[in-house]
Amino acid sequence: MKHDWWLSATRPLDQTACALAAERQRRLTKPRGSLGRLERLAIHLAALQGRERPAVERLWIAIFAGDHGVAEEGVSPYPQAVTGQMLRNFATGGAAISVLARQLGAELELIDLGTAEPLEPPPAGVRRQHLGPGTANFLRGPAMSVRQGLDALAAGRDSVRRAQAAGAHLYIGGEMGIANTSSASALASALLEQPAAALIGPGTGLDAAGLARKVAVVERALALHGAHAGEPLEILRRLGGFEIAALAGAYLACAQEGLPALVDGFICSVAALLAVRLNPACRDWLLFAHRGAEPGHRGVLEALAAEPLLDLGLRLGEGSGAALAVPLLQSACRLHGEMATFAEAAVADAGR
């Protein structure tokens, strides 16, 4: 893959807004630092949004769906048809992320990048950007062609541009794709230079035999493609999925367009690690929602120096963990923006 838009400069943080927000925190009617990380989140969001009082009210959630050829190796207890069936479930409002998006009043964008079985009739509300009937089996060669990889990255970028045009305050990416934890685990193993067995978990519910099979499949994939581990774009093409590439493209675009991104679980965090390897400056624009149950998630978060907001043992995906963390960000912003200062409330400031 040739270098392109993802290497462009990211939006610089607004240091003036950051300083004003920090000063405001010092003047609010509470002991300094008493709201812990909520204070730091508000200040960081101020720097990202370029205003003393940030807001996280207009939310854009984009779910990228794509199938994986490696599913034919039996790495998931679910058939590939479930990817398309769940996409329809998202569209009709029955999935976890659908419920959470309604609760938050968020825009929910659904993007079909390539399901193995065509959705007939196509569900209303699903944007169809088919790059193929899923990726190729990475035990036989690269998962994606060069063109597919580029187009998947661009699909994420274009979603962010739609979110930005709609005036979103925060971008959340989610994914759906049977066997995508195998793809994410292979990528994590290559990027972190750690053995597959230390990173791989049951995903959607594999038993012991299924887990052993999954580890063996990923180890074979790494033997075939591992020589490219130092080339993030190439290893993404070889081991990734349409939805993982789109998420990486989205995170890169968020940093370039100046839109904060809240990263979901293991698969999304692997995409974030790829984005940071492609353009390290994008890291400032990424917030991390939670630490999930997949064993590899901890190592990926550590590589990103990420401090997730929640640790609830989640392993659903779909952007659901990020959606659950949004109220914390909203509370941080509202406390920061709506609390009275000592002067406003006529309360003596002890200088704490």
Side-chain angles (χ1 to χ4, degrees), residues 58-104:
R58 294 196 296 272
L59 309 169
W60 188 280
I61 302 174
I63 308 298
F64 300 97
D67 271 312
H68 291 255
V70 73
E72 67 190 36
E73 303 295 333
V75 293
S76 172
Y78 291 93
Q80 279 192 314
V82 169
T83 301
Q85 291 165 359
M86 281 302 299
L87 192 54
R88 190 179 300 278
N89 192 27
F90 296 150
T92 55
I97 191 58
S98 310
V99 174
L100 292 168
R102 284 198 300 273
Q103 175 185 324
L104 295 169

Short mmCIF file of all heavy atoms in Angstrom, two decimals, residues 58-104:
data_model
loop_
_atom_site.label_atom_id
_atom_site.label_comp_id
_atom_site.label_asym_id
_atom_site.label_seq_id
_atom_site.Cartn_x
_atom_site.Cartn_y
_atom_site.Cartn_z
N ARG A 58 -23.69 15.85 21.26
CA ARG A 58 -24.01 15.36 19.91
C ARG A 58 -23.05 14.21 19.58
O ARG A 58 -21.85 14.43 19.40
CB ARG A 58 -23.91 16.48 18.89
CG ARG A 58 -24.97 17.56 19.09
CD ARG A 58 -25.10 18.45 17.87
NE ARG A 58 -23.89 19.21 17.60
CZ ARG A 58 -23.61 20.40 18.11
NH1 ARG A 58 -24.46 20.97 18.95
NH2 ARG A 58 -22.49 21.03 17.81
N LEU A 59 -23.60 13.02 19.51
CA LEU A 59 -22.79 11.80 19.40
C LEU A 59 -23.01 11.12 18.06
O LEU A 59 -24.14 11.03 17.57
CB LEU A 59 -23.18 10.82 20.52
CG LEU A 59 -23.19 11.39 21.94
CD1 LEU A 59 -23.84 10.40 22.89
CD2 LEU A 59 -21.80 11.74 22.39
N TRP A 60 -21.95 10.62 17.50
CA TRP A 60 -22.01 9.87 16.24
C TRP A 60 -21.41 8.49 16.48
O TRP A 60 -20.25 8.37 16.88
CB TRP A 60 -21.23 10.59 15.15
CG TRP A 60 -21.39 10.01 13.77
CD1 TRP A 60 -20.76 8.91 13.26
CD2 TRP A 60 -22.22 10.51 12.72
NE1 TRP A 60 -21.14 8.69 11.96
CE2 TRP A 60 -22.04 9.66 11.59
CE3 TRP A 60 -23.09 11.59 12.60
CZ2 TRP A 60 -22.69 9.87 10.39
CZ3 TRP A 60 -23.75 11.78 11.39
CH2 TRP A 60 -23.55 10.94 10.31
N ILE A 61 -22.20 7.46 16.31
CA ILE A 61 -21.75 6.08 16.46
C ILE A 61 -21.80 5.42 15.09
O ILE A 61 -22.86 5.37 14.46
CB ILE A 61 -22.63 5.29 17.45
CG1 ILE A 61 -22.64 5.99 18.83
CG2 ILE A 61 -22.14 3.86 17.59
CD1 ILE A 61 -23.60 5.36 19.82
N ALA A 62 -20.68 4.93 14.63
CA ALA A 62 -20.60 4.27 13.32
C ALA A 62 -20.20 2.81 13.53
O ALA A 62 -19.19 2.52 14.17
CB ALA A 62 -19.58 4.95 12.42
N ILE A 63 -21.01 1.91 13.01
CA ILE A 63 -20.73 0.47 13.10
C ILE A 63 -20.32 -0.03 11.72
O ILE A 63 -21.09 0.07 10.76
CB ILE A 63 -21.96 -0.32 13.60
CG1 ILE A 63 -22.51 0.29 14.89
CG2 ILE A 63 -21.58 -1.79 13.79
CD1 ILE A 63 -21.56 0.29 16.05
N PHE A 64 -19.11 -0.57 11.64
CA PHE A 64 -18.60 -1.12 10.39
C PHE A 64 -18.72 -2.65 10.45
O PHE A 64 -18.26 -3.27 11.41
CB PHE A 64 -17.14 -0.74 10.20
CG PHE A 64 -16.90 0.75 10.14
CD1 PHE A 64 -16.50 1.44 11.27
CD2 PHE A 64 -17.08 1.46 8.96
CE1 PHE A 64 -16.29 2.80 11.24
CE2 PHE A 64 -16.88 2.83 8.91
CZ PHE A 64 -16.48 3.50 10.05
N ALA A 65 -19.33 -3.22 9.42
CA ALA A 65 -19.55 -4.67 9.39
C ALA A 65 -18.79 -5.28 8.21
O ALA A 65 -18.77 -4.72 7.11
CB ALA A 65 -21.04 -4.99 9.28
N GLY A 66 -18.19 -6.44 8.46
CA GLY A 66 -17.50 -7.14 7.40
C GLY A 66 -17.19 -8.57 7.83
O GLY A 66 -16.91 -8.82 9.00
N ASP A 67 -17.26 -9.49 6.90
CA ASP A 67 -16.96 -10.89 7.21
C ASP A 67 -15.49 -11.20 6.98
O ASP A 67 -14.76 -10.43 6.34
CB ASP A 67 -17.84 -11.82 6.38
CG ASP A 67 -19.15 -12.13 7.08
OD1 ASP A 67 -19.09 -12.49 8.27
OD2 ASP A 67 -20.22 -12.02 6.45
N HIS A 68 -15.07 -12.34 7.53
CA HIS A 68 -13.67 -12.76 7.52
C HIS A 68 -13.54 -14.15 6.94
O HIS A 68 -14.21 -15.09 7.40
CB HIS A 68 -13.10 -12.74 8.94
CG HIS A 68 -12.94 -11.37 9.50
ND1 HIS A 68 -11.73 -10.74 9.63
CD2 HIS A 68 -13.87 -10.48 9.94
CE1 HIS A 68 -11.91 -9.54 10.14
NE2 HIS A 68 -13.21 -9.35 10.34
N GLY A 69 -12.67 -14.29 5.96
CA GLY A 69 -12.48 -15.59 5.33
C GLY A 69 -11.97 -16.66 6.28
O GLY A 69 -12.24 -17.84 6.09
N VAL A 70 -11.25 -16.23 7.33
CA VAL A 70 -10.69 -17.22 8.26
C VAL A 70 -11.78 -17.91 9.08
O VAL A 70 -11.51 -18.92 9.74
CB VAL A 70 -9.65 -16.54 9.19
CG1 VAL A 70 -10.33 -15.64 10.22
CG2 VAL A 70 -8.76 -17.57 9.86
N ALA A 71 -12.99 -17.42 9.00
CA ALA A 71 -14.10 -18.08 9.71
C ALA A 71 -14.25 -19.53 9.27
O ALA A 71 -14.72 -20.38 10.05
CB ALA A 71 -15.40 -17.32 9.49
N GLU A 72 -13.84 -19.83 8.06
CA GLU A 72 -13.99 -21.21 7.57
C GLU A 72 -13.08 -22.19 8.32
O GLU A 72 -13.24 -23.40 8.18
CB GLU A 72 -13.71 -21.27 6.07
CG GLU A 72 -12.30 -20.98 5.67
CD GLU A 72 -12.13 -20.82 4.15
OE1 GLU A 72 -13.04 -20.28 3.50
OE2 GLU A 72 -11.07 -21.25 3.64
N GLU A 73 -12.16 -21.66 9.13
CA GLU A 73 -11.28 -22.52 9.92
C GLU A 73 -11.89 -22.91 11.26
O GLU A 73 -11.23 -23.55 12.08
CB GLU A 73 -9.93 -21.82 10.15
CG GLU A 73 -9.21 -21.41 8.89
CD GLU A 73 -8.78 -22.60 8.03
OE1 GLU A 73 -8.57 -23.70 8.62
OE2 GLU A 73 -8.65 -22.43 6.81
N GLY A 74 -13.14 -22.51 11.51
CA GLY A 74 -13.81 -22.89 12.74
C GLY A 74 -13.36 -22.13 13.97
O GLY A 74 -13.37 -22.66 15.08
N VAL A 75 -12.99 -20.85 13.79
CA VAL A 75 -12.49 -20.05 14.91
C VAL A 75 -13.61 -19.35 15.68
O VAL A 75 -13.35 -18.66 16.67
CB VAL A 75 -11.46 -19.01 14.42
CG1 VAL A 75 -10.21 -19.70 13.92
CG2 VAL A 75 -12.07 -18.11 13.35
N SER A 76 -14.85 -19.51 15.23
CA SER A 76 -15.99 -18.92 15.93
C SER A 76 -17.10 -19.95 16.03
O SER A 76 -17.29 -20.74 15.09
CB SER A 76 -16.51 -17.67 15.18
OG SER A 76 -17.73 -17.21 15.76
N PRO A 77 -17.86 -19.94 17.13
CA PRO A 77 -18.98 -20.87 17.23
C PRO A 77 -20.17 -20.44 16.38
O PRO A 77 -21.14 -21.20 16.25
CB PRO A 77 -19.32 -20.85 18.72
CG PRO A 77 -18.88 -19.51 19.19
CD PRO A 77 -17.66 -19.17 18.37
N TYR A 78 -20.13 -19.25 15.80
CA TYR A 78 -21.25 -18.73 15.02
C TYR A 78 -20.96 -18.81 13.53
O TYR A 78 -19.82 -18.60 13.09
CB TYR A 78 -21.54 -17.28 15.39
CG TYR A 78 -22.11 -17.11 16.77
CD1 TYR A 78 -21.28 -16.86 17.86
CD2 TYR A 78 -23.48 -17.19 17.00
CE1 TYR A 78 -21.79 -16.71 19.14
CE2 TYR A 78 -24.00 -17.03 18.28
CZ TYR A 78 -23.15 -16.79 19.34
OH TYR A 78 -23.67 -16.64 20.60
N PRO A 79 -21.96 -19.08 12.70
CA PRO A 79 -21.77 -19.06 11.25
C PRO A 79 -21.64 -17.64 10.72
O PRO A 79 -22.09 -16.68 11.36
CB PRO A 79 -23.04 -19.73 10.73
CG PRO A 79 -24.08 -19.43 11.76
CD PRO A 79 -23.35 -19.44 13.08
N GLN A 80 -21.05 -17.49 9.54
CA GLN A 80 -20.85 -16.16 8.97
C GLN A 80 -22.15 -15.42 8.72
O GLN A 80 -22.18 -14.19 8.72
CB GLN A 80 -20.06 -16.26 7.66
CG GLN A 80 -18.57 -16.41 7.87
CD GLN A 80 -17.82 -16.21 6.57
OE1 GLN A 80 -18.19 -16.76 5.55
NE2 GLN A 80 -16.75 -15.44 6.62
N ALA A 81 -23.23 -16.15 8.53
CA ALA A 81 -24.52 -15.50 8.28
C ALA A 81 -24.91 -14.55 9.40
O ALA A 81 -25.69 -13.61 9.18
CB ALA A 81 -25.60 -16.55 8.09
N VAL A 82 -24.35 -14.77 10.59
CA VAL A 82 -24.71 -13.94 11.74
C VAL A 82 -24.28 -12.48 11.54
O VAL A 82 -24.93 -11.56 12.04
CB VAL A 82 -24.12 -14.53 13.03
CG1 VAL A 82 -24.23 -13.56 14.21
CG2 VAL A 82 -24.82 -15.84 13.37
N THR A 83 -23.20 -12.24 10.80
CA THR A 83 -22.77 -10.86 10.58
C THR A 83 -23.89 -10.05 9.92
O THR A 83 -24.27 -8.98 10.40
CB THR A 83 -21.51 -10.82 9.69
OG1 THR A 83 -20.46 -11.55 10.33
CG2 THR A 83 -21.05 -9.38 9.47
N GLY A 84 -24.44 -10.57 8.83
CA GLY A 84 -25.53 -9.87 8.16
C GLY A 84 -26.80 -9.84 9.00
O GLY A 84 -27.53 -8.84 9.02
N GLN A 85 -27.07 -10.92 9.70
CA GLN A 85 -28.27 -10.95 10.55
C GLN A 85 -28.19 -9.91 11.66
O GLN A 85 -29.18 -9.24 11.98
CB GLN A 85 -28.44 -12.36 11.14
CG GLN A 85 -28.80 -13.41 10.10
CD GLN A 85 -28.62 -14.84 10.63
OE1 GLN A 85 -28.21 -15.04 11.77
NE2 GLN A 85 -28.92 -15.81 9.77
N MET A 86 -27.01 -9.75 12.24
CA MET A 86 -26.85 -8.74 13.28
C MET A 86 -26.90 -7.33 12.70
O MET A 86 -27.42 -6.41 13.35
CB MET A 86 -25.55 -8.96 14.03
CG MET A 86 -25.61 -10.08 15.06
SD MET A 86 -26.90 -9.83 16.32
CE MET A 86 -26.35 -8.30 17.07
N LEU A 87 -26.41 -7.17 11.50
CA LEU A 87 -26.51 -5.85 10.86
C LEU A 87 -27.98 -5.47 10.70
O LEU A 87 -28.38 -4.32 10.95
CB LEU A 87 -25.80 -5.88 9.51
CG LEU A 87 -25.55 -4.55 8.80
CD1 LEU A 87 -24.82 -3.57 9.69
CD2 LEU A 87 -24.76 -4.79 7.52
N ARG A 88 -28.80 -6.43 10.32
CA ARG A 88 -30.24 -6.18 10.23
C ARG A 88 -30.82 -5.88 11.62
O ARG A 88 -31.68 -5.01 11.77
CB ARG A 88 -30.93 -7.39 9.60
CG ARG A 88 -32.39 -7.15 9.24
CD ARG A 88 -33.00 -8.39 8.61
NE ARG A 88 -32.33 -8.80 7.38
CZ ARG A 88 -32.56 -8.26 6.20
NH1 ARG A 88 -33.45 -7.29 6.07
NH2 ARG A 88 -31.92 -8.71 5.13
N ASN A 89 -30.33 -6.57 12.63
CA ASN A 89 -30.78 -6.34 14.00
C ASN A 89 -30.42 -4.93 14.46
O ASN A 89 -31.21 -4.26 15.14
CB ASN A 89 -30.17 -7.39 14.92
CG ASN A 89 -30.79 -7.43 16.30
OD1 ASN A 89 -31.95 -7.07 16.49
ND2 ASN A 89 -30.02 -7.87 17.28
N PHE A 90 -29.22 -4.48 14.09
CA PHE A 90 -28.85 -3.10 14.40
C PHE A 90 -29.85 -2.13 13.77
O PHE A 90 -30.31 -1.17 14.41
CB PHE A 90 -27.46 -2.76 13.84
CG PHE A 90 -26.32 -3.54 14.42
CD1 PHE A 90 -25.20 -3.80 13.65
CD2 PHE A 90 -26.34 -4.00 15.72
CE1 PHE A 90 -24.13 -4.51 14.16
CE2 PHE A 90 -25.27 -4.71 16.25
CZ PHE A 90 -24.15 -4.97 15.46
N ALA A 91 -30.16 -2.40 12.51
CA ALA A 91 -31.02 -1.48 11.76
C ALA A 91 -32.44 -1.43 12.30
O ALA A 91 -33.10 -0.39 12.25
CB ALA A 91 -31.03 -1.88 10.28
N THR A 92 -32.91 -2.55 12.83
CA THR A 92 -34.29 -2.58 13.34
C THR A 92 -34.37 -2.26 14.83
O THR A 92 -35.45 -2.29 15.42
CB THR A 92 -34.92 -3.97 13.08
OG1 THR A 92 -34.09 -4.99 13.65
CG2 THR A 92 -35.07 -4.21 11.58
N GLY A 93 -33.22 -1.95 15.43
CA GLY A 93 -33.23 -1.44 16.79
C GLY A 93 -33.14 -2.47 17.89
O GLY A 93 -33.32 -2.13 19.07
N GLY A 94 -32.80 -3.74 17.57
CA GLY A 94 -32.84 -4.78 18.57
C GLY A 94 -31.51 -5.13 19.21
O GLY A 94 -31.48 -5.94 20.14
N ALA A 95 -30.41 -4.56 18.75
CA ALA A 95 -29.10 -4.90 19.28
C ALA A 95 -28.74 -4.01 20.46
O ALA A 95 -29.33 -2.94 20.67
CB ALA A 95 -28.04 -4.78 18.19
N ALA A 96 -27.74 -4.43 21.22
CA ALA A 96 -27.31 -3.64 22.38
C ALA A 96 -26.94 -2.23 21.99
O ALA A 96 -27.34 -1.26 22.66
CB ALA A 96 -26.14 -4.34 23.07
N ILE A 97 -26.17 -2.07 20.91
CA ILE A 97 -25.75 -0.71 20.54
C ILE A 97 -26.93 0.12 20.07
O ILE A 97 -26.96 1.34 20.25
CB ILE A 97 -24.63 -0.76 19.47
CG1 ILE A 97 -24.01 0.63 19.30
CG2 ILE A 97 -25.15 -1.29 18.14
CD1 ILE A 97 -23.43 1.22 20.57
N SER A 98 -27.95 -0.54 19.50
CA SER A 98 -29.15 0.19 19.09
C SER A 98 -29.86 0.76 20.31
O SER A 98 -30.30 1.93 20.30
CB SER A 98 -30.10 -0.74 18.33
OG SER A 98 -29.43 -1.44 17.30
N VAL A 99 -29.97 -0.04 21.35
CA VAL A 99 -30.61 0.41 22.58
C VAL A 99 -29.82 1.56 23.20
O VAL A 99 -30.39 2.59 23.61
CB VAL A 99 -30.72 -0.76 23.58
CG1 VAL A 99 -31.24 -0.28 24.94
CG2 VAL A 99 -31.63 -1.85 23.02
N LEU A 100 -28.49 1.41 23.27
CA LEU A 100 -27.67 2.44 23.89
C LEU A 100 -27.66 3.73 23.07
O LEU A 100 -27.66 4.83 23.64
CB LEU A 100 -26.24 1.92 24.06
CG LEU A 100 -26.10 0.79 25.09
CD1 LEU A 100 -24.73 0.13 24.99
CD2 LEU A 100 -26.34 1.31 26.50
N ALA A 101 -27.68 3.61 21.75
CA ALA A 101 -27.73 4.80 20.91
C ALA A 101 -29.03 5.57 21.14
O ALA A 101 -29.04 6.81 21.22
CB ALA A 101 -27.59 4.42 19.44
N ARG A 102 -30.14 4.84 21.27
CA ARG A 102 -31.41 5.50 21.58
C ARG A 102 -31.35 6.19 22.93
O ARG A 102 -31.81 7.33 23.09
CB ARG A 102 -32.56 4.48 21.56
CG ARG A 102 -33.02 4.05 20.20
CD ARG A 102 -34.41 3.41 20.25
NE ARG A 102 -34.46 2.23 21.10
CZ ARG A 102 -34.16 0.99 20.69
NH1 ARG A 102 -33.75 0.78 19.45
NH2 ARG A 102 -34.26 -0.04 21.53
N GLN A 103 -30.80 5.51 23.90
CA GLN A 103 -30.70 6.08 25.24
C GLN A 103 -29.91 7.39 25.22
O GLN A 103 -30.25 8.35 25.93
CB GLN A 103 -30.01 5.08 26.18
CG GLN A 103 -29.74 5.61 27.58
CD GLN A 103 -28.95 4.62 28.41
OE1 GLN A 103 -29.14 3.42 28.30
NE2 GLN A 103 -28.05 5.12 29.24
N LEU A 104 -28.84 7.42 24.42
CA LEU A 104 -27.96 8.59 24.37
C LEU A 104 -28.43 9.65 23.38
O LEU A 104 -27.86 10.74 23.35
CB LEU A 104 -26.55 8.15 23.99
CG LEU A 104 -25.83 7.24 25.00
CD1 LEU A 104 -24.56 6.66 24.38
CD2 LEU A 104 -25.50 8.00 26.27
#
